[in-house]
Amino acid sequence: MGEVKLIATTQSLFCARIQWALKLKGVEYEFIEEDLRNKSPLLLESNPVYKKVPVLLHNGKSFPESLIILEYIDEVWKHNPLLPQDPSERALARFWAKFSDEKVIFGAFGACRTEGEQQEKAKEAALESLAFLEKQLEGKKFFGGEELGYLDLVVGWIPLWLGVMEEIGGIKLLEEERFPLLHEWSQNFHQIPLIKECLPPRDNLLSYFQASISYHRSLAAKKP
Ligand SMILES: N[C@@H](CCC(=O)N[C@@H](CS)C(=O)NCC(=O)O)C(=O)O
């Protein structure tokens, strides 16, 4: 199937989902750690458009954008399918993945990095987005049904990354009483050995988000 390399950082939630997918498929790969403060020529050549990680290198080609990479992996290594086989379910899984990346991640980060009245507004919006995800779990163990699937990997940042953002932001979004299904899913997902294997140490994430949230708050404080 050819050599597989992943340009990534250990702290990135977008990169973790690719590692999980490769592990679920049993694909051997080389992890190339990128320094995002001093981007390597390899990253700049492999993803000249966005210059972001993750990038998957396979058979002389480079594939950026984590959702696209997940689909590519699923098409090349067909065993342990990630996306649903039914076209309508597949389309909906893609819809919720896009929603999660565009609304939930940035909504949650927005709620954690703001303060005061702005934070209240951002929190309301983030809670509304999380409620949509909660509904997707009704009657299911995983977003993919009985087995882990594409959408589980996409929202797999929630158990660790959201917890860290909440801690630094000083707010709680994923309350157990409000989101019982997401809460239970988070706990189950986090305990899966293959998932745990690729999680960055919590302390690293804490210092990473501490710096990022302090930076955003200082910018906001300077605004007239
Ligand atoms: N939509 C992209 C987002 C990737 C992304 O934002 N990666 C961050 C790391 S978490 C990055 O490379 N940032 C570097 C930069 O913005 O210059 C994906 O799904 O792959």
Side-chain angles (χ1 to χ4, degrees), residues 9 11-15 17-18 34 36 39 43 47 50-55 64-69 101 106 208:
T9 67
Q11 286 143 344
S12 163
L13 62 93
F14 298 103
C15 297
R17 56 178 67 156
I18 308 304
E34 180 65 32
L36 290 176
K39 292 180 182 173
L43 175 66
N47 188 359
Y50 294 119
K51 306 174 180 66
K52 292 186 180 194
V53 291
V55 181
E65 286 297 308
S66 62
L67 296 183
I68 309 280
I69 301 173
D101 274 13
F106 293 103
Y208 175 78

